[in-house]
Amino acid sequence: MWGCGARTLLCLWEVRLAGFLGRRLSSSNAAAGKSFAPQCWNCGRSRGAGCGDEFFCAHCRALQPPDPTRDFFSLMNCNRSFRVDITKLQHRYQQLQRLVHPDFFSQKSQTEKHFSEKHSTLVNDAYKTLQAPLTRGLYLLKLQGIEIPEGTDYKTDSQFLVEIMEINERLADAQSEVAMEEIEASVRAKQKEFTDNINRAFEQGDFEKAKELLIKMRYFSNIEEKIKLSKTPL
C-alpha cells in the first residue's frame, strides 16, 4: 500500500503529464493548420454556430465582437464581385441592423453595448461601400492590394481631362433647369457606360483596366455631387 505522500506525488505527476500532453496536442494541431472555434467572452465556452449569423454565442446568447478577418462582401452575404444585387443588399442591411443596432442593447452590459456600436458602424460602412458602383469597385481593388489615393490621375489622358473641363464649364454656365437636366442625363449615361465596362474588366481579371476606369468614374461622380448641390436650396 502506498502512503499518502506517494499518492500525492503520483497525482501531481499525472497532472503535469496531462498538461504536457495537452500542450503537445495543441502544438501539433496548430502545426497541422487546425483552427479552433473562438471562445465567448461572457461564458467562456466555444461560441459555436449560434443565431444571428454567428454574431451571438450559441450558449449564453451574448453579442460577440466583430470578426476582424471578415470583409464587407462576406458580412453582407454577397459574392465578391462588382455585380451586386442591390435589393438583396438592402434586405441584408435591414436584417443586420435589427440584430446589432445599439437601440436593442440599451439594457445590456457595457461590453455588449460597445460591441453593438462597433457592429452597427461596420454594417453601415459595408452597406454604403457596396451600394455604389464607385466605392464598390475601389473596395474590390483594395482587396487585391490596389489602392487609388485621392487626386490620382493615373493613365488619365488629356482628351478625357478636356472633356471634364467642358462639362464643368457647361455646369457653371447652366441658367435653366432644362440645361441642368441635360447635363445630368449625359453624366448618368456616362456612369452607366463606366459601370458596364468596369464590370467587364473585373470579370476578366483585368485590375489595371478596372483601376483606370474607376479613376475616370470618380471624376464623373464629383460632377454628380456638384449637380446635387446646385439643386439643394440655400
Side-chain angles (χ1 to χ4, degrees):
M1 297 294 293
W2 285 21
C4 181
R7 285 196 297 272
T8 300
L9 287 174
L10 178 60
C11 288
L12 287 172
W13 181 83
E14 288 174 341
V15 170
R16 289 177 180 176
L17 178 61
F20 173 76
L21 291 176
R23 288 192 296 273
R24 288 292 300 274
L25 180 61
S26 297
S27 300
S28 61
N29 283 337
K34 295 181 180 179
S35 59
F36 296 90
Q39 290 184 327
C40 171
W41 64 269
N42 186 51
C43 68
R45 300 172 70 180
S46 176
R47 290 176 357 203
C51 67
D53 200 32
E54 298 185 357
F55 285 97
F56 300 88
C57 173
H59 307 288
C60 69
R61 303 292 290 274
L63 181 65
Q64 301 300 302
D67 181 355
T69 66
R70 197 172 192 182
D71 64 53
F72 288 169
F73 289 96
S74 172
L75 178 63
M76 305 306 288
N77 275 359
C78 297
N79 292 328
R80 189 182 287 192
S81 166
F82 184 72
R83 192 186 298 275
V84 168
D85 187 323
I86 299 300
T87 300
K88 288 184 179 179
L89 180 68
Q90 291 172 341
H91 289 164
R92 174 65 171 171
Y93 170 73
Q94 293 166 358
Q95 174 198 25
L96 291 182
Q97 286 295 23
R98 285 193 294 268
L99 283 174
V100 301
H101 196 278
D103 287 351
F104 302 117
F105 291 85
S106 59
Q107 303 302 316
K108 298 291 185 178
S109 67
Q110 287 299 322
T111 300
E112 286 186 277
K113 288 179 183 178
H114 174 65
F115 288 156
S116 71
E117 290 171 0
K118 294 184 71 174
H119 275 297
S120 186
T121 298
L122 194 61
V123 169
N124 282 331
D125 289 345
Y127 177 67
K128 290 177 182 177
T129 298
L130 300 187
Q131 185 184 39
L134 175 61
T135 51
R136 182 167 66 245
L138 293 174
Y139 184 70
L140 268 174
L141 285 184
K142 184 177 179 179
L143 292 178
Q144 296 295 327
I146 304 171
E147 295 198 51
I148 309 174
E150 286 288 342
T152 300
D153 294 332
Y154 174 82
K155 289 186 178 180
T156 304
D157 55 88
S158 57
Q159 183 177 351
F160 174 80
L161 294 176
V162 168
E163 180 184 0
I164 294 298
M165 290 176 60
E166 290 176 347
I167 295 174
N168 278 315
E169 288 174 0
R170 287 174 56 200
L171 189 60
D173 294 338
Q175 299 295 323
S176 67
E177 186 175 337
V178 173
M180 188 69 72
E181 287 176 354
E182 288 179 356
I183 299 171
E184 187 176 13
S186 65
V187 170
R188 193 182 303 116
K190 195 70 177 180
Q191 290 289 60
K192 175 64 169 59
E193 180 185 338
F194 280 132
T195 300
D196 293 340
N197 291 335
I198 291 167
N199 182 65
R200 191 175 303 112
F202 275 117
E203 287 180 344
Q204 295 172 352
D206 191 344
F207 301 125
E208 283 299 309
K209 183 63 175 179
K211 180 178 179 179
E212 177 184 343
L213 291 168
L214 282 164
I215 289 172
K216 291 182 176 182
M217 177 182 258
R218 188 157 63 184
Y219 277 97
F220 276 86
S221 294
N222 290 336
I223 293 174
E224 285 180 319
E225 285 300 315
K226 291 178 182 178
I227 293 173
K228 287 180 183 178
L229 288 175
S230 68
K231 291 182 174 181
T232 304
L234 297 175

